[in-house]
Amino acid sequence: MFNPRDIIEVLAANVRQTKSPFGIPKFMVNTWFKDLSLHKEGEYLLFTGLMYQFSPFIETSTQYLEKYEDTKTADYLKYAKWVPGYISGIGLAMMTKGKEKRKAGQPLKNIVYLLQKSKVDFGYRPELDDYSGILLYDMGDQKEFVAHAKKVAQKLQSAGIKKIITVDPHTAYALKELFPKYTGISFDVKPYFELLNFEPKDCSLEVTLHDPCFFGRYLKASDITRKQLSNMGISLTNIRNQGEFTSCCGGPAESISPSLSNEIMEKRAKELEEPGKPIIAYCPICLGNLKKSNANVEDLSSLLARHV
Amino acid sequence: MSLVNLDFAEELKEYSGDTALECFNCGTCAAICPLVNDNFPRRMIRYIQVGAREKILENSDELWRCLHCGLCTHTCPREADPGEIILGLKRFVLANWRKS
Ligand code: SF4
Ligand code: SF4
């Protein structure tokens, strides 16, 4: 286990300096939309919160952290906060393979395709698409979280944004529950799958759905996913911990203790693999973490985009 | 032996809701927690109830093992909100570290 204080101070310094917990400048992280011609205006703003885009960088940094956990080198982490965020961030970006970065953008392209097929009126404005600060909140750094969240919320408010589509559970929770409480600014926030509207279909498929804690439990949104899947004729296997009682994938412990995170992930992966059907995740952290167990797992958006 | 601080629950109000006193120590949260770790989070809530402020600071690293998955809060029969209490303790400990 790493010293939590060292990790928090590095994350907080990175967010302060670069608005990213990993110190990676946004132009290096957020490139998925460049070969699409997306409208800027619309009834809704698509707000990714950059979580899908961060996933390959999280994987690279976890690989390094894994090597140094519980070694003497771990003690040097406290000095990392003195390295300007963008320098360590650019280093991290360079160590991450281009192929992985491109792959991480695919769920977002799928989501755009699904929203367009459902005739949802939305726009995308990369300059307004920022990290929500959720990791700082989960780590207990309330002061830094609130300072960051205020900047993000005020920028959206000044741009006249009222309705937002989110794609991952952590950003959805931040914008829907935490922003009104801690920034005083509220938006009408909907996860993308709530807005999908397709003709019923019979795909005659069975999958195992892994509900992320924040969609399944905190936001109680797992029934919406189930309705969408059932509309496509995709049935679900019956696993013990699901919906509101879902079990964590272990992802949130990655930065503090990669070994603990792996332990929890292996347990959950075993449970999900038991019925022997493809596993569907709908959170970039869960997706990345479960992939480490070599489980047959894909993002909900990939499954839906293939079958609509 | 650690000192008991009777004002601790009051001090914590700045960082967390005051639901710790609702807890009747049934252990559901510790049984269901994916960490399966030495009566966590129940033990931490007990420390609050008895004012064992120093015990929390001594064992503070443990708090960051918590995934903030919310399963304990969802299953607590007393609505004591154990998951949010742990988050509140993280805030309290971090504030103490930064003061020191
Ligand atoms: S489940 Fe609730 S009442 Fe039971 S020990 Fe945990 S916090 Fe206390
Ligand atoms: S929120 Fe933390 S303490 Fe509660 S069940 Fe999840 S990991 Fe355990």
Side-chain angles (χ1 to χ4, degrees):
Chain A
M1 183 174 183
F2 288 94
N3 181 332
R5 185 174 184 184
D6 296 344
I7 297 275
I8 294 166
E9 299 301 6
V10 171
L11 293 174
N14 281 345
V15 171
R16 260 196 317 271
Q17 293 165 11
T18 67
K19 296 208 296 199
S20 149
F22 309 101
I24 313 166
K26 194 157 92 175
F27 75 89
M28 294 180 92
V29 178
N30 198 28
T31 54
W32 67 278
F33 60 92
K34 294 212 161 142
D35 52 356
L36 304 174
S37 40
L38 296 174
H39 294 298
K40 286 210 167 263
E41 305 298 330
E43 184 189 351
Y44 288 93
L45 176 81
L46 176 64
F47 185 90
T48 74
L50 309 183
M51 295 294 281
Y52 273 95
Q53 296 91 313
F54 282 146
S55 52
F57 305 104
I58 296 177
E59 203 184 320
T60 310
S61 80
T62 310
Q63 278 165 7
Y64 279 86
L65 288 172
E66 245 163 20
K67 272 196 215 160
Y68 299 120
E69 185 174 7
D70 298 324
T71 68
K72 283 212 160 72
T73 315
D75 293 342
Y76 291 106
L77 192 68
K78 57 173 152 301
Y79 303 112
K81 71 175 175 221
W82 306 116
V83 180
Y86 62 87
I87 292 184
S88 52
I90 288 170
L92 185 60
M94 307 230 308
M95 287 188 292
T96 305
K97 289 191 195 121
K99 195 174 128 213
E100 295 305 318
K101 291 184 229 172
R102 279 189 296 279
K103 260 203 320 212
Q106 193 53 48
L108 301 172
K109 291 183 174 181
N110 295 337
I111 289 167
V112 161
Y113 171 72
L114 294 167
L115 290 169
Q116 286 172 339
K117 276 250 164 202
S118 303
K119 305 211 167 15
V120 178
D121 178 19
F122 72 97
Y124 183 62
R125 293 172 62 180
E127 71 280 11
L128 293 181
D129 196 2
D130 282 314
Y131 172 59
S132 69
I134 188 69
L135 194 54
L136 293 173
Y137 177 81
D138 287 336
M139 291 280 197
D141 196 344
Q142 188 69 4
K143 193 174 123 241
E144 297 283 354
F145 166 72
V146 173
H148 178 75
K150 277 186 179 158
K151 282 185 215 154
V152 177
Q154 279 160 3
K155 194 159 123 191
L156 289 166
Q157 192 183 43
S158 315
I161 303 300
K162 299 210 162 47
K163 293 178 158 191
I164 287 179
I165 301 173
T166 54
V167 296
D168 77 90
H170 298 271
T171 307
Y173 181 70
L175 265 65
K176 215 176 158 85
E177 303 286 326
L178 304 178
F179 277 28
K181 200 163 160 191
Y182 298 113
T183 72
I185 301 173
S186 301
F187 304 99
D188 176 3
V189 181
K190 298 241 184 313
Y192 78 90
F193 47 82
E194 194 174 334
L195 297 167
L196 302 184
N197 187 13
F198 305 121
E199 287 295 313
K201 232 184 141 174
D202 186 10
C203 296
S204 301
L205 261 183
E206 197 180 19
V207 299
T208 296
L209 187 66
H210 166 69
D211 296 293
C213 299
F214 278 89
F215 272 149
R217 198 160 23 251
Y218 285 81
L219 295 170
K220 303 196 178 9
S222 55
D223 284 352
I224 310 169
T225 334
R226 279 162 176 74
K227 265 192 212 139
Q228 291 291 357
L229 290 170
S230 137
N231 184 49
M232 308 273 298
I234 301 173
S235 61
L236 300 183
T237 61
N238 196 14
I239 51 164
R240 188 165 177 261
N241 301 303
Q242 54 176 313
E244 286 184 33
F245 292 92
T246 189
S247 202
C248 182
C249 73
E254 262 170 343
S255 56
I256 291 286
S257 174
S259 60
L260 172 70
S261 169
N262 281 338
E263 210 179 285
I264 293 167
M265 176 270 288
E266 291 292 353
K267 241 194 274 172
R268 179 59 171 166
K270 212 168 146 214
E271 197 171 81
L272 294 168
E273 280 178 314
E274 181 103 1
K277 297 290 174 190
I279 300 164
I280 303 301
Y282 48 122
C283 163
I285 309 277
C286 301
L287 185 69
N289 215 30
L290 291 169
K291 271 187 180 161
K292 282 197 236 153
S293 71
N294 292 324
N296 175 15
V297 55
E298 71 171 342
D299 193 71
L300 174 73
S301 65
S302 314
L303 175 78
L304 293 175
R306 216 173 33 252
H307 291 286
V308 291
Chain B
M1 212 181 106
S2 300
L3 290 176
V4 165
N5 183 332
L6 296 177
D7 299 327
F8 185 42
E10 201 53 42
E11 185 185 355
L12 268 185
K13 279 188 186 160
E14 193 187 331
Y15 307 100
S16 155
D18 56 355
T19 48
L21 295 178
E22 298 299 324
C23 167
F24 62 178
N25 279 287
C26 69
T28 305
C29 53
I32 204 157
C33 174
L35 302 174
V36 207
N37 185 35
D38 197 13
N39 262 309
F40 186 89
R42 191 195 68 102
R43 187 166 34 86
M44 291 290 174
I45 296 160
R46 188 75 188 133
Y47 289 153
I48 300 175
Q49 290 180 333
V50 300
R53 183 182 187 276
E54 296 312 310
K55 274 273 182 205
I56 290 175
L57 289 170
E58 275 164 33
N59 296 285
S60 58
D61 280 8
E62 256 185 77
L63 297 167
W64 276 273
R65 290 167 60 94
C66 168
L67 307 153
H68 196 217
C69 76
L71 195 53
C72 52
T73 284
H74 204 64
T75 49
C76 169
R78 298 278 295 180
E79 297 184 4
D81 222 348
E84 294 307 304
I85 293 177
I86 296 299
L87 182 60
L89 286 178
K90 287 180 187 172
R91 293 181 191 140
F92 157 74
V93 171
L94 187 61
N96 263 270
W97 282 340
R98 282 182 174 160
K99 267 185 230 154
S100 64

